[in-house]
Amino acid sequence: MLIHSDHGPFLICCWYRPPEPGETSFVESFCSEFREHSPQALGTIVVGDLNCHNIRWLRHSSRNSPEGSALYNACLELGLVQRVRSPTRGGNLLDLVLSDVSSMSCRVLPAVADHNVVEATLKFSVPRRVVSQRTVWDFAKADWTNIVQSFALQDFSFLTSDSPSHGAERLTGIILDTVREFIPQRVLTERKSTHPWLNARVLEAVASKQNASGTIDELEASKACSEAVLCEFTKFVGRTRERLGNIRRGSKQWWKLARQLLNQRSAPSSVPALQSSTGEWIMDAKAKSMELASCFSSKFGFRPAELNEFSAISPARARQEVFQRPTAACAEQVLKELRVDSATGPDGIAARVLRECSHVLAKPVALLAGRIADTGEWPDLWRSHWVVPLHKRWSRHVGDHYRGVHLTSQLSKVLERVLGLSFLPFLHAGVAFGPHQFAYVPGRGARDATAYLVMTWIRGFDALRKFGLYCSDVSGAFDKVSRQRLMSKLRAKGLHDTALNILCSWLRPRTAQVVVEGARSEDMTLEDMVFQGTVWGPPLWNVFFEDARAPINACGFNEIVYADDLNAHRQFPLAVPNADVLGHIASCQQRLHTWGRANGVQFDPGKESCHVVSRSDPHGPDFRILGIMFDTKLCMHAAVHEVSSESAWKLTALLRSRRYHDVPRLMLLYKAQLLSFIEYRTPAIYHASCSALAPVDGVQRRFLKETCVSDEDALFVFHLAPLSVRRDIAMLGVIHRTVLGGGPSQFRELFKLAPLSGLPARTRSQCSRHRFQLEDPRDKHHSHMLARSALGLIWVYNHLPPKAVEQPSVSGFQAELQRLVKDRAAARCTDWALSLSPRAPLSSHPLLRYR
């Protein structure tokens, strides 16, 4: 039945008869009912005594039943999540609550008769509206010509003689005075509401329903209220859709309205009522900001360092001999690359102003940068931060459950980028961040870290090895860094004295104010940290954390680091007992903690874990690395289940808005909202079996089926290949980037060019082979897992047409691969989706017939 509430319509389904053993027809009828009514609903709730068993899904089941498997697959497809987590009859979980409403929770209560009571709670937010006003620049009426001319006539020679603090203040004043003269300001009134469609008619209908409670008119008033809510909601959607059609597709405003149609409503306030440690409720914005400032301040500060074997800092192998002075050309390039939607900091200068006037502001920026380099002084004007609270997890009424997003001056970040050009390349070239740091390093990223880790493990499995794995994470990484020890490490890296003087001044204490609904807290002190919201903060953390690998390497482990997320692994022969492997891991953990005490670093015990990763002798629970769930056998069932179930309900929300969009807009939404989410996990799940990957591939199949688009039309019209093809192209891109000499150097050990002497004699079928042949592990004994991994793609890469492999860029290479797939699809080849797959039989692979 479809129930209309003040929050919108909900589809409620109840089962009164459990399915018979082996009966799966009930799933088909349920799916049909769901597809018919769910587009009209904001959410779906299914409850019933179903007696369905599935080991992977229902953790209290002892077997898989046909009806359980059918229901499990249907829920993955429809985006429904099973919410009951405890047995409901003896030791079995028989009573289910399936829902795609994320705010629903369930608990199992004491038994009534032979079943426990299942209580399902659906949380609704109380409709709230906040009206706020703020003064903004009206850039649509900006006179950029006069602004540029005004800056061009200014005399900025004072920047060569004034102190950097005075010079930064005067330059900021000149920019703001000019902008005020030629850009009008307007007062923007924001009416944020959880229910934008609640107008006077709806409020009157709700009041009438409440007044009629307990009278003979209650039923009629309730019906009228539901009709009024639905009518106004429909009108709101129509207005939003009309506005959406008049805005450039893909713009920031377009996405804001699109999220409203997807029922992703924004909260009216960044922070609801807070509860203090004494139990008092805090409602005032100023008081909220003070409470959050107190919570944030309590998390700052590092523990005193301990003198131990890791206290000494190794000297640099090379020194930076020359500090390149900043030039106007460099400053102009940095200004041109600013994002105009980047938040404005405490100085009030918008990034758009700096970008639009980049040509005339480049010289004063370069002069100020040179003055900072000469004096080694960082301007005092840029030592203030605005901190915007962002809810992190758990209850929104507790201040400790928020983290702060730091907003700093845009001009300050420009100067950091300009001066950073003089010393950051030296740190990158000297591997000052460590050889296995994948965060904030050019040419590296989280996907690279995941791909390298997975391929290392698979290659070890093929050599009959197991891996001991230790996962760790630093507690409050950026906010707990000793300034004195960081400067010692920077000095040991061989930085030029000019850069050291600038960084020493940059690291001096700062102040910050927490901002809530326009109200600001009192100043709180920021010290002994690499400041968030800055350009230099991440690379400075990498320098500070680099020698954490010393205790790990001393224990024979290799590290993979992403910012403060550190994972250490070591190969062992299969014959080594897991108890011995765990002993080595414990020793590695102890040594790393010793390093932490020498550097004032604390590791979060809730995020530390030890595992043995092996195909035949694993140990330990599933673990998470860089947001991806792994199992100790690398089957990746948990990761696939997580991404498919998460994507399914995201897709359900997207499909509910299809009556507001045409197909091209739905495709854009799908690519942005789901495709990027799914493909982040490609390096981790690529090697999984076809049966394991089927739920993920089913997400896109369902989307195309619901939008009546065939695989061929998706490929030719919308450039959307099947997910399996996209995975092949993505991982082949990793190989080609390595061949071109880009990406992490670790990949060059995995994808090696084959020596000419080692190549087989060229037969007729090999005459068209390209010249970048790689060593193929398939030439030796290999496992099925290696054959279907990225290492198995080496055979595919070796057989690609020369035109594709000779592309000088990864994007051009991948475009050629997509064209190859399109050519085979246009030729009506039934196996076109396997054109680049290592899973196809090599003897009859489509690439051989493509020639």
Side-chain angles (χ1 to χ4, degrees):
M1 55 184 171
L2 198 63
I3 297 180
H4 295 281
S5 71
D6 295 345
H7 296 257
F10 283 84
L11 178 64
I12 311 293
C13 303
C14 300
W15 259 298
Y16 298 98
R17 180 186 65 84
E20 297 294 333
E23 180 188 358
T24 59
S25 59
F26 77 101
V27 175
E28 297 176 3
S29 60
F30 161 65
C31 292
S32 175
E33 189 83 6
F34 179 92
R35 292 190 177 95
E36 179 182 354
H37 296 290
S38 64
Q40 309 171 42
L42 295 179
T44 302
I45 304 166
V46 182
V47 297
D49 173 14
L50 299 182
N51 291 358
C52 292
H53 299 274
N54 189 286
I55 296 176
R56 188 185 303 172
W57 179 27
L58 306 177
R59 59 184 69 179
H60 300 284
S61 294
S62 58
R63 62 186 177 87
N64 286 332
S65 64
E67 62 274 12
S69 298
L71 185 60
Y72 171 78
N73 293 330
C75 289
L76 280 182
E77 178 185 350
L78 301 177
L80 299 174
V81 178
Q82 207 288 109
R83 304 289 180 179
V84 185
R85 294 290 180 261
S86 303
T88 60
R89 184 184 181 191
N92 297 313
L93 200 166
L94 304 179
D95 305 274
L96 307 183
V97 175
L98 311 173
S99 179
D100 56 8
V101 182
S102 58
S103 62
M104 167 165 280
S105 61
C106 291
R107 62 173 180 161
V108 177
L109 302 178
V112 174
D114 60 336
H115 282 253
N116 292 72
V117 174
V118 177
E119 178 188 75
T121 305
L122 184 61
K123 297 180 181 179
F124 287 118
S125 59
V126 177
R128 302 192 310 272
R129 173 176 293 191
V130 172
V131 180
S132 60
Q133 291 184 333
R134 57 191 179 99
T135 303
V136 298
W137 300 109
D138 192 352
F139 287 116
K141 300 178 181 178
D143 187 353
W144 295 111
T145 302
N146 280 327
I147 293 175
V148 170
Q149 290 178 354
S150 178
F151 285 144
L153 296 175
Q154 288 287 342
D155 180 12
F156 293 107
S157 60
F158 63 89
L159 293 171
T160 61
S161 56
D162 284 2
S163 68
S165 292
H166 191 225
E169 290 180 4
R170 289 185 63 181
L171 178 60
T172 300
I174 290 172
I175 293 175
L176 288 177
D177 289 343
T178 304
V179 168
R180 291 190 189 102
E181 183 178 359
F182 296 107
I183 301 180
Q185 292 180 304
R186 61 189 177 93
V187 177
L188 178 65
T189 301
E190 291 184 323
R191 295 178 175 86
K192 294 185 178 180
S193 174
T194 52
H195 297 70
W197 55 87
L198 289 186
N199 54 19
R201 179 192 172 189
V202 174
L203 295 177
E204 182 181 349
V206 172
S208 299
K209 183 181 75 170
Q210 292 175 336
N211 293 335
S213 178
T215 68
I216 59 174
D217 298 327
E218 180 178 3
L219 183 60
E220 184 177 349
S222 297
K223 183 178 179 181
C225 180
S226 296
E227 291 176 352
V229 171
L230 183 60
C231 178
E232 295 305 317
F233 174 76
T234 304
K235 290 181 180 179
F236 161 75
V237 169
R239 292 192 301 269
T240 304
R241 184 184 182 187
E242 183 177 352
R243 291 175 59 194
L244 201 65
N246 297 327
I247 299 175
R248 181 176 61 85
R249 191 170 68 182
S251 66
K252 192 173 182 179
Q253 182 67 13
W254 189 91
W255 281 112
K256 180 180 178 181
L257 295 176
R259 282 193 291 269
Q260 289 183 351
L261 292 181
L262 289 173
N263 301 316
Q264 298 174 355
R265 299 180 297 275
S266 59
S269 169
S270 59
V271 181
L274 294 177
Q275 191 172 24
S276 67
S277 57
T278 60
E280 179 184 359
W281 285 97
I282 303 172
M283 310 294 290
D284 179 65
K286 176 73 173 180
K288 291 179 189 177
S289 67
M290 295 297 296
E291 173 68 15
L292 288 167
S294 176
C295 293
F296 293 158
S297 297
S298 65
K299 300 176 183 179
F300 298 156
F302 65 99
R303 64 181 182 182
E306 171 189 294
L307 187 63
N308 60 40
E309 58 186 299
F310 295 107
S311 298
I313 300 174
S314 301
R317 296 182 179 179
R319 296 198 60 83
Q320 183 183 8
E321 300 297 337
V322 178
F323 184 89
Q324 194 72 34
R325 290 186 63 83
T327 63
C330 293
E332 183 175 359
Q333 185 63 33
V334 169
L335 290 166
K336 285 182 177 179
E337 292 175 354
L338 287 176
R339 290 181 52 184
V340 296
D341 58 350
S342 184
T344 302
D347 63 354
I349 299 179
R352 183 169 182 180
V353 173
L354 299 177
R355 179 169 174 172
E356 295 286 348
C357 306
S358 58
H359 180 66
V360 288
L361 290 179
K363 182 178 179 180
V365 166
L367 291 175
L368 182 56
R371 190 61 178 159
I372 292 173
D374 292 338
T375 62
E377 175 191 344
W378 190 255
D380 293 332
L381 178 65
W382 299 335
R383 297 188 188 279
S384 60
H385 292 209
W386 283 347
V387 181
V388 180
L390 182 67
H391 179 249
K392 192 172 182 180
R393 59 179 179 266
W394 303 323
S395 172
R396 298 178 63 92
H397 303 291
V398 179
D400 285 334
H401 298 168
Y402 288 79
R403 65 179 179 89
V405 177
H406 291 237
L407 303 182
T408 55
S409 165
Q410 289 291 338
L411 192 55
S412 169
K413 288 188 278 193
V414 167
L415 266 296
E416 288 180 55
R417 291 188 178 97
V418 172
L419 288 167
L421 296 174
S422 301
F423 65 88
L424 288 180
F426 172 79
L427 294 178
H428 293 149
V431 199
F433 303 159
H436 300 294
Q437 174 63 265
F438 284 80
Y440 316 120
V441 179
R444 298 188 178 190
R447 297 187 188 187
D448 293 321
T450 305
Y452 176 67
L453 198 57
V454 169
M455 284 189 285
T456 300
W457 289 342
I458 291 176
R459 193 167 66 166
F461 291 169
D462 205 54
L464 302 180
R465 295 290 191 269
K466 65 170 68 172
F467 289 85
L469 175 67
Y470 164 54
C471 303
S472 72
D473 195 275
V474 176
S475 177
F478 282 29
D479 297 334
K480 300 178 181 180
V481 176
S482 167
R483 177 192 176 199
Q484 180 181 358
R485 190 160 180 83
L486 174 57
M487 285 304 305
S488 298
K489 292 185 178 185
L490 288 168
R491 195 170 290 109
K493 294 301 179 186
L495 275 183
H496 195 276
D497 289 341
T498 300
L500 290 173
N501 292 335
I502 296 172
L503 290 170
C504 185
S505 176
W506 186 87
L507 287 166
R508 283 169 46 201
R510 303 186 178 194
T511 60
Q513 295 176 318
V514 178
V515 182
V516 177
E517 299 173 24
R520 302 178 195 169
S521 69
E522 301 295 330
D523 287 347
M524 59 179 180
T525 302
L526 306 178
E527 60 181 338
D528 284 314
M529 59 177 65
V530 289
F531 306 106
Q532 298 187 49
T534 63
V535 175
W536 290 346
L540 290 182
W541 164 259
N542 280 357
V543 171
F544 183 78
F545 199 49
E546 182 268 336
D547 58 348
R549 63 191 176 94
I552 291 173
N553 298 155
C555 295
F557 283 72
N558 295 315
E559 78 285 356
I560 292 291
V561 192
Y562 191 84
D564 60 327
D565 189 337
L566 187 151
N567 305 282
H569 62 95
R570 176 181 170 182
Q571 281 194 38
F572 294 90
L574 282 177
V576 176
N578 284 344
D580 293 348
V581 175
L582 294 174
H584 285 285
I585 296 175
S587 176
C588 176
Q589 180 183 23
Q590 183 180 4
R591 298 271 289 175
L592 182 62
H593 285 194
T594 303
W595 174 91
R597 291 192 295 273
N599 289 271
V601 172
Q602 292 177 296
F603 291 91
D604 190 342
K607 296 182 179 179
E608 287 187 303
S609 58
C610 304
H611 315 268
V612 178
V613 184
S614 170
R615 288 293 289 170
S616 58
D617 190 23
H619 175 82
D622 294 349
F623 56 94
R624 192 177 294 275
I625 295 180
L626 298 179
I628 302 174
M629 186 66 73
F630 288 82
D631 58 272
T632 50
K633 281 190 171 185
L634 287 194
C635 295
M636 305 311 294
H637 290 304
V640 169
H641 170 75
E642 185 177 66
V643 68
S644 58
S645 59
E646 190 90 356
S647 301
W649 72 257
K650 286 178 179 287
L651 179 58
T652 299
L654 172 61
L655 292 174
R656 287 197 179 108
S657 68
R658 59 185 162 182
R659 62 185 183 274
Y660 313 131
H661 301 286
D662 53 19
V663 173
R665 286 179 179 173
L666 279 176
M667 284 289 176
L668 181 63
L669 287 168
Y670 170 77
K671 290 180 179 180
Q673 299 278 346
L674 276 91
L675 205 54
S676 58
F677 172 78
I678 294 172
E679 293 188 334
Y680 170 74
R681 291 153 177 80
T682 291
I685 66 175
Y686 183 77
H687 67 277
S689 64
C690 294
S691 59
L693 291 171
V696 175
D697 295 339
V699 174
Q700 182 161 306
R701 283 198 299 269
R702 178 191 168 201
F703 171 69
L704 296 179
K705 180 180 178 181
E706 296 285 350
T707 53
C708 300
V709 177
S710 66
D711 286 342
E712 289 76 11
D713 287 343
L715 179 65
F716 291 115
V717 180
F718 301 107
H719 310 292
L720 180 65
L723 288 179
S724 60
V725 177
R726 293 181 65 89
R727 288 195 294 268
D728 294 333
I729 293 177
M731 299 312 294
L732 283 168
V734 172
I735 298 177
H736 190 65
R737 183 183 58 174
T738 305
V739 171
L740 293 176
S745 59
Q746 291 87 345
F747 286 176
R748 297 185 186 99
E749 291 297 317
L750 299 170
F751 307 113
K752 295 181 180 180
L753 288 173
L756 295 177
S757 59
L759 292 176
R762 294 175 67 84
T763 63
R764 182 181 301 177
S765 64
Q766 293 173 324
C767 289
S768 59
R769 290 269 196 104
H770 58 78
R771 54 193 176 93
F772 298 109
Q773 296 295 299
L774 303 176
E775 291 184 0
D776 188 357
R778 288 196 180 196
D779 293 338
K780 306 173 184 179
H781 172 74
H782 62 270
S783 63
H784 292 295
M785 179 179 284
L786 185 144
R788 62 176 182 255
S789 72
L791 296 170
L793 274 173
I794 291 176
W795 185 94
V796 176
Y797 187 84
N798 286 343
H799 288 77
L800 288 175
K803 181 180 179 181
V805 178
E806 290 172 2
Q807 290 293 323
S809 66
V810 176
S811 59
F813 169 74
Q814 292 180 323
E816 279 296 318
L817 296 185
Q818 184 141 340
R819 185 188 62 79
L820 185 152
V821 174
K822 286 182 178 179
D823 287 347
R824 289 192 56 79
R828 300 189 180 279
C829 298
T830 57
D831 59 352
W832 63 268
L834 296 174
S835 299
L836 305 171
S837 175
R839 301 165 194 257
L842 300 190
S843 59
S844 59
H845 197 280
L847 276 177
L848 300 179
R849 298 197 299 274
Y850 180 76
R851 301 178 188 280

